[in-house]
Amino acid sequence: MQMKQFTLCYSLVALFLGNSLAQGPDNRPTFEVASVKPAVLAPGDTPGKSCTGGPGTSTPDNFRCSCSPLAAVLVRAYNIEFTHLRGPDWVFWTPNCYDIAAKVPSGTSKEQFQVMLQNLLSDRFHLLVHRETKILPSYTLSVSKAGPRLRAHPSTSASESSSHDARNSGSLPTRGQPGTLTWIDTHLRLTADDLDLKSLAGLLSRVVQAPVVDETGLVGGYDFILNFAAPEFMTGGQSYRSGTNEEAFPEIFAVLREELGLNLTKKNVPRDLIVVDQANKVPTEN
């Protein structure tokens, strides 16, 4: 009787180990095909692009990143906000970007897709991360004491509206993109065409690398073009394009206050983070 019980227990342990081994490194969820290559951000292109495709999108079987910094890929892989990611500065540098193309197996769930992307980053960048909670800055967007200096979006088309200030001249976003961030020589340009302030707060969070909450109480869409210095974490402390006659641009805080009559105020709050412990700048070959 004891021998039969031992045999039964041994069989159950063997079955358990067999199932565990089936989920081992050689059987991790992976893409059917994946390509990861370093890329170069062109002047005038949109910095810090997010990735497109995958489960839950119009192209569930195809995932693509075009000149995306590693931070943008990590945000998708771990289903977090950009402001909940920490790591080496180069992970966030906009000129340091990558082209990624992956074929997603049909029927893959969002959760499975995230694991596939995490595994891809682990394989190609030797990525190691951990989770932790820290007290970090957060910002509120509010109206300054002098009042707002915002121009409401007109009912006419952008081409029929009045021209902008010469310093802020430039093209408005294409239809369907009320707000964009672009590189202009050595600085950033935030262009708004019928942009509401909640969406502005979302764009600003990418600039200050922290959550931004709209507390202006203002509704509706607005038109403006702001030129300001790129934050150091995006550039690695260097100008995107060097030159002898570079114009010095103010930081986003001063530009918002002086041109839009808005303030960004900092406060410290607890935040759950994904922290990058290790990652290679150059991915392994495809």
Side-chain angles (χ1 to χ4, degrees):
M1 183 65 177
Q2 291 180 347
M3 180 61 70
K4 290 182 178 180
Q5 290 177 340
F6 177 81
T7 303
L8 178 60
C9 291
Y10 180 84
S11 299
L12 290 173
V13 170
L15 178 62
F16 173 78
L17 289 175
N19 288 338
S20 298
L21 290 173
Q23 302 300 320
D26 294 336
N27 293 282
R28 297 178 306 160
T30 58
F31 297 112
E32 292 181 0
V33 181
S35 171
V36 181
K37 298 179 180 180
V40 177
L41 179 70
D45 203 354
T46 302
K49 295 184 199 175
S50 60
C51 303
T52 60
T57 71
S58 59
T59 55
D61 297 336
N62 291 286
F63 174 70
R64 291 186 177 278
C65 301
S66 177
C67 196
S68 296
L70 187 57
V73 190
L74 287 163
V75 164
R76 186 70 182 273
Y78 289 92
N79 192 30
I80 59 173
E81 296 293 333
F82 177 78
T83 54
H84 288 237
L85 178 67
R86 286 293 181 271
D89 288 345
W90 68 265
V91 170
F92 302 91
W93 293 349
T94 302
N96 190 87
C97 56
Y98 305 90
D99 289 341
I100 299 177
K103 177 66 175 177
V104 184
S106 181
T108 297
S109 67
K110 290 183 179 180
E111 293 75 16
Q112 291 170 329
F113 168 79
Q114 289 169 15
V115 175
M116 291 177 184
L117 191 50
Q118 292 171 24
N119 289 337
L120 178 66
L121 296 176
S122 175
D123 292 340
R124 301 297 177 86
F125 292 90
H126 294 167
L127 176 74
L128 293 176
V129 302
H130 74 271
R131 298 177 184 270
E132 66 178 73
T133 301
K134 280 188 174 182
I135 303 298
L136 293 169
S138 177
Y139 292 84
T140 58
L141 183 67
S142 59
V143 178
S144 66
K145 292 182 179 179
R149 301 176 183 176
L150 292 159
R151 185 180 67 178
H153 179 74
S155 57
T156 55
S157 65
S159 62
E160 297 171 343
S161 61
S162 58
S163 60
H164 293 274
D165 180 86
R167 175 180 169 85
N168 283 332
S169 61
S171 300
L172 290 171
T174 58
R175 186 174 181 84
Q177 294 180 314
T180 59
L181 278 169
T182 53
W183 279 106
I184 305 294
D185 293 332
T186 58
H187 66 280
L188 287 179
R189 172 172 292 168
L190 194 161
T191 310
D193 179 17
D194 197 15
L195 181 69
D196 64 274
L197 296 191
K198 181 178 180 180
S199 297
L200 171 62
L203 288 170
L204 292 174
S205 70
R206 295 167 55 185
V207 176
V208 298
Q209 203 180 11
V212 177
V213 179
D214 172 29
E215 293 186 355
T216 62
L218 301 175
V219 297
Y222 302 92
D223 295 350
F224 53 84
I225 298 177
L226 304 177
N227 292 289
F228 55 94
E232 185 175 342
F233 80 88
M234 282 188 175
T235 64
Q238 299 179 354
S239 297
Y240 173 59
R241 191 166 70 185
S242 60
T244 56
N245 297 315
E246 293 180 358
E247 181 179 1
F249 285 84
E251 293 185 346
I252 184 62
F253 302 93
V255 173
L256 286 170
R257 183 174 59 253
E258 296 171 4
E259 299 194 25
L260 301 184
L262 302 176
N263 288 331
L264 270 181
T265 306
K266 182 171 70 172
K267 62 180 180 180
N268 293 325
V269 296
R271 203 182 316 162
D272 295 326
L273 303 173
I274 292 289
V275 181
V276 176
D277 298 312
Q278 172 186 301
N280 294 342
K281 289 184 181 181
V282 180
T284 57
E285 295 183 1
N286 299 313

